Amino acid sequence: MVGIAPSSPSAPLLDGIVVVDLTQYLAGPTCTRMLMELGADVIKVEAAPYGDPARSFSPRVNRRSGFFIQQNRGKRSICLDLSSVEGKEIIAELAMKADVLVENFSPGVMDRKGLGYEVLAAGNPRLVMASLSGFGQEGPLASKPAFDFIAQAYSGLMHMTGETDGPPLVVGSGIADVNVGVHAFGAIGHALFRRERTGVGAHVDVAMVDALVHMHETAIYAPSLDPTFRPVRQGRFYQPAQPAGVYKGPEGWIVIFCTQGQVDALWRAMEQPELGTDPRFATNSGRLAHREDLATLIERWMEQFERDDEVIKLLELHRVPCSRVKDPAELGDDDHLRQRDAIRTVSDPLVGSLVTPGFPIHFGAGAPPARGASGDVLAPNLGQHNREVVSGMLGWNADRIDELERRGVLVAKDR
């Protein structure tokens, strides 16, 4: 199956690509979910007896986790005792048939299992293997345990989050996990592109900390140029420019962000053009020095409206960059996100309907839409595809599979 060309120009971008997914929780499944949505055949290998721990995450309906559904729809599940000889043999044989293998074990675990890149690539030189971890496969901290919060802290991202005079705060989503998954998704695509030119695969090493460090736009380079510059927590206002921040609206919170060329548009929307010549606000340095005064003026102006949407409508009329701060629970009804498939409603035979994020990339004319919007893309039961994969792909006979099931090497459950 390695390197099968797409069946037609209208086929999904990764049609014919086989992915062995040895990941769990969020980071790895984010990557392999996106590969599935581009048409790859993703075989999710889960550890017996319970599978991906995300299967138990709340909220659940009929013992089925919405988190697991969101991250694993469209994948095929096999459940193995990964410590058994046969379990390792099945993974090795799958790697022989695969184009891509993604894993997020702690660094060194795959090598200790005899399934490291050098071993697998010896049998399949075209294999692209992606290893996702907290601190990377190499370096002084490669063995350091890490979760999303740890990466946020070490990368400095947490230092930049919170009130200026308050403690550092955690970003309110799995930003490190998702970020490393998307970085790996992009890296795998480029490794496959190189493979088509050279015939040789690659080992891709992607770390959560590296991905978050890459997100800093000012805080790293600025101190190296100006020793007096100290990155500080932003609070509700942007450190380098004003007006830019979060302002109290009539009902909730509204973000405004103006560059120098857009400030006059804000004054016009407020019907206070004199602010453009006020010494406090005529320059960005002046606005930074008097940002609390400026925030008070903006919020007093907003108080004259009854609804946030009225403020937004007027700001948009004057082309002032702005947005209401939305509750994620509102996003399921957002027309813009719905039309772009950034939000979708999916079905599950045990849960029913649920709202999930969609696919975040659009390829436009010449490429088919991503998979996942249709109701026939379902999350697998645990070990649902054991026989289909082990027999159909690897050719193991029924008697041998029966024996593995009796010994608990292969496990299947209805959740």
Side-chain angles (χ1 to χ4, degrees):
M1 294 186 181
V2 176
I4 295 176
S7 56
S8 73
S10 62
L13 272 71
L14 294 181
D15 186 39
I17 296 295
V18 176
V19 178
V20 177
D21 178 3
L22 292 169
T23 71
Q24 57 187 8
Y25 292 114
L26 180 57
T30 293
C31 172
T32 54
R33 183 195 74 203
M34 295 181 73
L35 295 171
M36 179 281 297
E37 288 176 310
L38 289 189
D41 176 12
V42 177
I43 301 166
K44 183 176 179 67
V45 180
E46 303 188 60
Y50 302 115
D52 187 336
R55 287 183 177 273
S56 66
F57 284 9
S58 297
R60 295 198 299 171
V61 174
N62 293 323
R63 295 191 292 120
R64 178 81 130 179
S65 166
F67 184 103
F68 182 84
I69 294 169
Q70 175 176 300
Q71 298 305 129
N72 295 286
R73 293 172 68 239
K75 302 175 185 178
R76 297 197 282 169
S77 169
I78 65 171
C79 185
L80 303 173
D81 177 355
L82 299 178
S83 65
S84 68
V85 172
E86 294 92 344
K88 296 172 187 175
E89 185 179 353
I90 288 171
I91 293 172
E93 289 194 24
L94 285 173
M96 289 285 291
K97 304 277 188 180
D99 300 279
V100 178
L101 184 146
V102 186
E103 60 93 8
N104 65 348
F105 292 109
S106 297
V109 169
M110 289 290 283
D111 286 324
R112 290 194 292 273
K113 290 181 178 294
L115 298 169
Y117 175 71
E118 289 75 13
V119 172
L120 298 181
N124 179 5
R126 291 172 59 82
L127 180 69
V128 172
M129 178 170 166
S131 296
L132 285 63
S133 62
F135 287 85
Q137 301 299 301
E138 298 178 346
L141 298 180
S143 63
K144 180 179 173 68
F147 289 100
D148 193 288
F149 289 8
I150 309 302
Q152 287 189 39
Y154 195 91
S155 68
L157 187 68
M158 194 178 290
H159 174 84
M160 302 299 293
T161 306
E163 292 298 330
T164 304
D165 58 352
L169 299 178
V170 173
V171 175
S173 65
I175 191 169
D177 282 314
V178 173
N179 228 286
V180 76
V182 176
H183 275 72
F185 166 78
I188 288 167
H190 286 82
L192 287 172
F193 177 68
R194 173 182 175 271
R195 186 191 73 174
E196 295 310 300
R197 296 207 267 179
T198 66
V200 179
H203 188 194
V204 178
D205 171 4
V206 193
M208 289 195 293
V209 168
D210 297 356
L212 292 189
V213 167
H214 189 241
M215 293 180 68
H216 286 292
E217 82 283 21
T218 303
I220 292 177
Y221 86 78
S224 71
L225 296 180
D226 178 3
T228 66
F229 182 95
R230 300 310 305 163
V232 298
R233 280 182 278 291
Q234 301 289 312
R236 67 186 183 111
F237 299 117
Y238 187 48
Q239 183 182 1
Q242 284 297 313
V246 185
Y247 303 90
K248 185 68 179 73
E251 300 172 290
W253 296 93
I254 294 174
V255 169
I256 295 174
F257 195 114
C258 292
T259 64
Q260 183 64 43
Q262 295 161 322
V263 173
D264 286 341
L266 176 61
W267 307 150
R268 289 193 296 271
M270 295 172 65
E271 297 184 343
Q272 298 181 51
E274 67 276 9
L275 294 178
T277 56
D278 187 315
R280 295 174 299 168
F281 309 132
T283 65
N284 186 58
S285 59
R287 293 190 294 273
L288 285 170
H290 298 91
R291 67 182 186 179
E292 295 293 342
D293 292 341
L294 180 55
T296 298
L297 286 171
I298 292 172
E299 291 179 345
R300 284 178 180 170
W301 168 72
M302 290 182 178
E303 286 176 357
Q304 66 183 292
F305 299 90
E306 292 186 1
R307 299 182 58 81
D308 290 347
D309 287 345
E310 296 172 10
V311 179
I312 296 296
K313 183 176 180 180
L314 185 56
L315 291 172
E316 290 179 341
L317 180 66
H318 289 271
R319 302 291 295 168
V320 177
C322 63
S323 175
R324 187 166 61 85
V325 177
K326 302 194 78 169
D327 181 334
E330 302 175 58
L331 300 183
D333 297 322
D334 189 284
D335 289 340
H336 176 78
L337 297 177
R338 284 284 183 178
Q339 288 187 33
R340 291 188 57 79
D341 191 38
I343 291 286
R344 58 172 62 142
T345 297
V346 302
S347 298
D348 183 83
L350 294 173
V351 168
S353 296
L354 68 159
V355 177
T356 73
F359 191 71
I361 301 169
H362 293 255
F363 291 94
R371 295 180 63 209
S374 63
D376 61 347
V377 180
L378 303 176
N381 294 335
L382 182 63
Q384 178 179 342
H385 303 95
N386 284 346
R387 288 183 176 267
E388 180 180 305
V389 171
V390 178
S391 175
M393 283 187 63
L394 305 185
W396 291 31
N397 64 44
D399 290 342
R400 190 177 186 189
I401 293 172
D402 291 342
E403 173 63 20
L404 295 179
E405 289 178 341
R406 282 192 294 272
R407 291 171 45 209
V409 175
L410 284 171
V411 174
K413 299 179 181 179
D414 65 352
R415 296 291 189 273

